[in-house]
Amino acid sequence: MSVLSAPLFGSALNAHTHVLVAEPDRVLANLVCGVLRRHGAKVVEIVDTAALDEEIQALGADLLIANVGLALGEKGDLLDRAHQLDPDVPVMVLVPGRKEGLVAAISALKNGAFDFLEAPIRNPDELGARAERALEGRRLRLEVRRAEAELRIANQELSRVSQTDELTGLLSRRHFLERLVEEIERAHRYGRAIGLLLIDVDIVVRYSGQQK
């Protein structure tokens, strides 16, 4: 069985995966697109680099594979533009397999590229494996973002609960004392007087009884 005829990679390359490919070399572009399509990914070729923004916004690209000249600004600025639209989208650059290609690859990595691959591609499995790794890295970053957002919400709720009286919805005694200390310190710092108004609310007992 040909290495190009059956899925050899993990589950990240599937029908829900959107990959953008920007490579002016038609032979290389066809090889890259063919490998990814044979393994389930939805691939869109970026022939006109001006269409990159529209494609990323429309499809929500999971991976961008681009010629290093297009990625770094020699013939375009796809790397920066992709990350402005989606900071989490991984970018793989295709570089010539020569010394100058290695220099360009290092420059791309310094500017935010996830990985690079030397052309011509002699082993399609390597392309698939690196695409899988890039997609897995994106998945992990998105999971971390979601977990951080959930943690922020949980902390906000914990702060609200700790500062609020459950019965009345008013700020709690603990919060009152914390703010009292802050205001006393502020008054001392600026040499100002501080006033404290105490109000005895008789209906609190009645209110409490109604809430039980």
Side-chain angles (χ1 to χ4, degrees):
M1 182 179 290
S2 168
V3 296
L4 295 180
S5 61
L8 297 177
F9 314 124
S11 60
L13 283 171
N14 54 54
H16 301 290
T17 305
H18 292 92
V19 183
L20 303 183
V21 176
E23 172 53 62
D25 184 320
R26 300 312 310 152
V27 174
L28 180 56
N30 288 337
L31 173 62
V32 171
C33 294
V35 170
L36 298 175
R37 284 173 178 148
R38 285 184 178 92
H39 294 280
K42 294 180 179 178
V43 182
V44 175
E45 288 189 67
I46 304 296
V47 179
D48 178 8
T49 58
L52 176 74
D53 300 14
E54 180 181 347
E55 293 293 348
I56 290 182
Q57 291 172 339
L59 298 176
D62 300 303
L63 174 64
L64 170 63
I65 300 178
N67 173 279
V68 69
L70 297 176
L72 289 181
E74 177 184 331
K75 301 175 183 177
D77 55 351
L78 300 191
L79 182 57
D80 286 341
R81 285 164 56 196
H83 283 160
Q84 287 173 4
L85 292 167
D86 182 354
D88 293 312
V89 65
V91 179
M92 291 176 56
V93 294
L94 300 170
V95 301
R98 301 185 298 273
K99 181 179 179 180
E100 56 268 30
L102 180 59
V103 173
I106 293 173
S107 178
L109 293 174
K110 288 181 177 178
N111 282 276
F114 180 85
D115 200 358
F116 71 94
L117 192 63
E118 291 183 347
I121 298 173
R122 296 181 175 84
N123 184 1
D125 289 357
E126 183 179 4
L127 167 62
R130 293 196 181 196
E132 282 280 348
R133 185 171 62 182
L135 291 166
E136 179 64 12
R138 172 181 172 81
R139 183 187 68 79
L140 291 175
R141 285 193 299 276
L142 292 176
E143 285 188 359
V144 168
R145 294 279 181 86
R146 281 193 292 267
E148 290 175 341
E150 292 174 357
L151 181 60
R152 282 195 299 271
I153 293 173
N155 285 336
Q156 290 170 358
E157 178 62 16
L158 180 61
S159 176
R160 185 193 67 79
V161 170
S162 68
Q163 296 179 1
T164 306
D165 178 75
E166 182 178 357
L167 178 63
T168 63
L170 300 175
L171 294 176
S172 66
R173 179 174 181 272
R174 174 182 176 182
H175 184 67
F176 165 74
L177 294 176
E178 290 175 350
R179 289 300 310 274
L180 180 61
V181 170
E182 291 177 3
E183 294 304 322
I184 291 174
E185 291 176 347
R186 190 197 311 274
H188 282 306
R189 186 163 59 250
Y190 294 105
R192 297 174 180 172
I194 184 172
L196 179 62
L197 176 64
L198 297 177
I199 301 177
D200 182 12
V201 183
D202 293 331
I203 65 170
V204 168
V205 175
R206 189 191 317 160
Y207 180 82
S208 176
Q210 292 173 349
Q211 298 303 310
K212 292 182 179 180

